[in-house]
Amino acid sequence: MQLNFSDFSAIQRYHLMTQTIIPRPIAWALTDSGDENYNLAPFSYFTAVSSDPALLMISVGKKPNGDNKDTLTNILKNKQMVIHIASADQAELVTQTAATLAHGQSELANSGLTTAAFEDFPLPRLAQCDIAYGCELYEIKELGDVPQTLIFVEVKQLYISDAVVVKDDKDRMKIAADKVKPLARLGGGEYASITAPFSLQRPA
């Protein structure tokens, strides 16, 4: 089967891309809607961009009514965001926080999730996540007619739970992926986690 993308609508292309670009990491993004009323939303159009500067990118669409999503509204105003790596055990919670709520209505309110102070960063982090990036807005790009918004953020602080840190054979810090159990997005409503990690040596 070979498909010509010009034959498909934007929605059909989205379906094809999310079914085939798998697995995708999920950015569980916390922003401040004001007065420490925190918005929390998942984004699977998410990736690392560079390490110098240390940039992450999330791609944000519109609400069904065409308004900006709260994540975009908040980071435009406050310039800060905390991106978490959720575990497979949190899949239900991640899905719940994808609901479209009125601006200022917090996804944390009924989730059972709690926040913890993020040392040397103005926003808190989720206490239940093993990895969190304290980020500041770096740049915003808009693409397409809708448009889709690319939010580039620079990592200023990184929290890693001691529970997922091990040492490798050279006594370097290593993150135990099987302990993090990162949640990944597939197509539609499907998710996945990792199985057993394996290692390969790159050629010289």
Side-chain angles (χ1 to χ4, degrees):
M1 179 183 296
Q2 184 165 319
L3 305 176
N4 186 333
F5 257 37
S6 64
D7 295 335
F8 297 91
S9 68
I11 292 176
Q12 290 171 321
R13 291 194 295 269
Y14 171 82
H15 178 76
L16 290 167
M17 291 173 70
T18 56
Q19 293 282 329
T20 55
I21 303 171
I22 53 175
R24 299 188 307 284
I26 298 172
W28 211 6
L30 180 146
T31 53
D32 190 355
S33 296
D35 299 322
E36 297 185 348
N37 181 24
Y38 300 116
N39 177 265
L40 183 65
F43 299 91
S44 70
Y45 275 22
F46 160 58
T47 192
V49 177
S50 68
S51 53
D52 189 14
L55 298 183
L56 306 177
M57 185 278 294
I58 62 173
S59 179
V60 182
K62 299 289 187 182
K63 289 184 177 181
N65 65 0
D67 290 347
N68 285 341
K69 290 190 174 180
D70 293 357
T71 299
L72 175 59
T73 298
N74 293 346
I75 198 165
L76 283 170
K77 181 179 179 181
N78 301 315
K79 316 299 184 189
Q80 294 162 339
M81 169 186 296
V82 178
I83 293 178
H84 304 83
I85 303 299
S87 75
D89 297 336
Q90 296 164 332
E92 192 70 37
L93 288 171
V94 170
T95 303
Q96 289 176 15
T97 60
T100 301
L101 303 178
H103 181 67
Q105 187 174 350
S106 176
E107 289 79 4
L108 293 175
N110 300 312
S111 68
L113 293 164
T114 56
T115 59
F118 200 158
E119 188 175 349
D120 295 326
F121 196 73
L123 295 180
R125 57 178 177 81
L126 294 178
Q128 291 80 7
C129 287
D130 289 320
I131 298 173
Y133 299 91
C135 304
E136 292 183 356
L137 180 62
Y138 183 83
E139 188 175 3
I140 285 182
K141 295 279 190 182
E142 291 192 337
L143 303 173
D145 296 330
V146 176
Q148 190 83 6
T149 304
L150 306 185
I151 302 175
F152 295 87
V153 292
E154 184 172 1
V155 179
K156 295 298 184 178
Q157 297 289 335
L158 171 59
Y159 167 81
I160 307 171
S161 169
D162 291 342
V164 300
V165 176
V166 296
K167 292 293 184 73
D168 66 11
D169 55 5
K170 296 182 180 178
D171 203 38
R172 296 174 301 189
M173 183 178 72
K174 180 179 183 297
I175 307 305
D178 55 342
K179 293 183 178 182
V180 177
K181 296 190 294 185
L183 180 65
R185 187 70 191 274
L186 305 177
E190 292 185 327
Y191 293 81
S193 185
I194 63 168
T195 54
F198 60 92
S199 299
L200 294 173
Q201 295 297 319
R202 293 178 62 180

